């Protein structure tokens, strides 16, 4: 699985959009970009995933660059409950194990 | 609520002992995964089962074993416990094998403390 690089920490004001970057320069053509988050010590929570096109769901938007070497997770209106560690994971999909890196610790400030 | 259940929530035991962690996947999910999260190692994949068969192994110690039963629930057995085995153990489930993009849903975890 391709490795990902994320900033260790980020801050964002409540109500603003939180933009979390991820680099995955060695991603291969059949690998998806997944985002999960972990709030405190709870089980990781699936957010969104994509292959080539930008994706949006009720939680977030995922923007993947045309060369697929990087992506950005966007939380459009961050709340205090969005404070968590966010993991960007590249995986072939299907029933594949997830390889977690260190993630980005996002803090939403009031 | 992800639909994945894990028991027990907390477990405190002594070194050298054996424990069993239990996981019930979401209804309809055939794949079960086990992950370990310790302070120094982060979240690490241990093992995966699909419809009762072992499909992938990660950094799982020989002292650890798992199985998936016909009703699709899974158990992770940890034996000859050491202090370093203290960690959060998560179970996740997904629909199953296919050349598609299935997300995994995680349970709340079992916090194991070895004293």
């Amino acid at each position: 699985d391709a490795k990902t690089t994320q900033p260790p920490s980020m801050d964002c004001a409540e109500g603003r959009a939180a933009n979390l970057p991820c680099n995955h320069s060695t991603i291969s053509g059949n690998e998806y970009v997944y985002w999960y988050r972990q709030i405190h010590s709870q089980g990781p929570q699936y957010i969104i995933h994509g292959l080539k096109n930008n994706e949006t769901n009720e939680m977030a938007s995922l923007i993947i660059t045309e060369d697929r070497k990087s992506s950005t997770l966007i939380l459009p209106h961050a709340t205090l409950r969005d404070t968590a560690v966010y993991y960007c994971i590249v995986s072939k999909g299907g029933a594949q194990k997830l390889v977690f890196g260190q993630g980005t610790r996002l803090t939403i400030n009031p | 609520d992800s639909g994945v259940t894990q028991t027990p929530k907390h477990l405190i035991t002594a070194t050298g002992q054996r424990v069993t962690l239990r996981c019930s996947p979401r209804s309809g999910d055939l794949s079960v995964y086990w992950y370990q999260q310790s302070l120094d190692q982060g979240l690490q994949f241990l093992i995966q089962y699909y419809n009762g068969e072992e499909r992938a192994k990660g950094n799982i110690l020989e002292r650890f074993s798992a199985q998936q039963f016909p009703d699709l629930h899974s158990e992770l057995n940890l034996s000859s416990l050491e202090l370093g085995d203290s960690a959060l153990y998560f179970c996740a489930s997904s629909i199953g094998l296919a050349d598609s993009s299935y997300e995994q849903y995680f349970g709340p975890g079992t916090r194991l403390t070895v004293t």
Side-chain angles (χ1 to χ4, degrees):
Chain A
D1 293 331
K3 284 188 65 175
T4 61
T5 303
Q6 299 178 252
S9 64
M10 292 183 63
D11 285 275
C12 180
E14 188 178 19
R16 305 298 293 263
N19 296 279
L20 291 88
C22 179
N23 287 323
H24 31 79
S25 58
T26 59
I27 191 170
S28 59
N30 61 350
E31 288 181 315
Y32 293 81
V33 180
Y34 289 82
W35 284 84
Y36 285 77
R37 72 180 182 183
Q38 187 175 26
I39 298 172
H40 195 46
S41 295
Q42 297 176 20
Q45 178 188 23
Y46 166 78
I47 301 173
I48 199 168
H49 74 278
L51 183 63
K52 296 179 184 177
N53 301 321
N54 298 337
E55 302 288 344
T56 295
N57 63 19
E58 65 280 1
M59 288 184 68
S61 294
L62 173 60
I63 309 297
I64 303 174
T65 57
E66 196 168 335
D67 63 6
R68 304 212 318 127
K69 292 184 177 181
S70 66
S71 61
T72 301
L73 177 75
I74 301 172
L75 307 178
H77 304 287
T79 71
L80 298 178
R81 287 178 294 182
D82 292 322
T83 292
V85 178
Y86 287 75
Y87 297 98
C88 169
I89 299 169
V90 172
S91 173
K92 288 187 174 66
Q96 298 286 328
K97 66 181 181 184
L98 296 175
V99 179
F100 288 84
Q102 296 305 305
T104 295
R105 184 173 297 276
L106 175 67
T107 303
I108 307 300
N109 300 305
Chain B
D1 184 1
S2 66
V4 179
T5 60
Q6 290 187 248
T7 55
K9 287 186 178 178
H10 301 278
L11 200 47
I12 301 174
T13 190
T15 53
Q17 295 298 306
R18 173 190 171 94
V19 297
T20 298
L21 313 184
R22 182 188 168 103
C23 167
S24 293
R26 289 190 321 156
S27 176
D29 284 357
L30 298 177
S31 271
V32 170
Y33 312 76
W34 286 96
Y35 294 83
Q36 178 193 56
Q37 185 172 32
S38 58
L39 281 175
D40 55 346
Q41 296 289 328
L43 264 162
Q44 289 203 316
F45 167 74
L46 294 178
I47 197 164
Q48 177 203 356
Y49 279 82
Y50 172 76
N51 204 20
E53 292 189 6
E54 182 184 303
R55 282 295 180 175
K57 252 183 174 178
N59 299 322
I60 187 166
L61 300 171
E62 284 191 14
R63 300 183 285 108
F64 295 1
S65 65
Q67 54 183 328
Q68 186 179 27
F69 294 87
D71 67 352
L72 301 178
H73 91 270
S74 178
E75 293 181 356
L76 179 67
N77 300 296
L78 315 176
S79 61
S80 303
L81 285 167
E82 302 175 359
L83 296 178
D85 298 328
S86 295
L88 274 167
Y89 291 85
F90 291 106
C91 167
S93 73
S94 70
I95 292 174
L97 294 178
D99 188 18
S100 183
S101 57
Y102 296 124
E103 57 270 24
Q104 293 181 23
Y105 292 89
F106 284 76
T110 293
R111 181 176 293 278
L112 173 66
T113 302
V114 182
T115 62

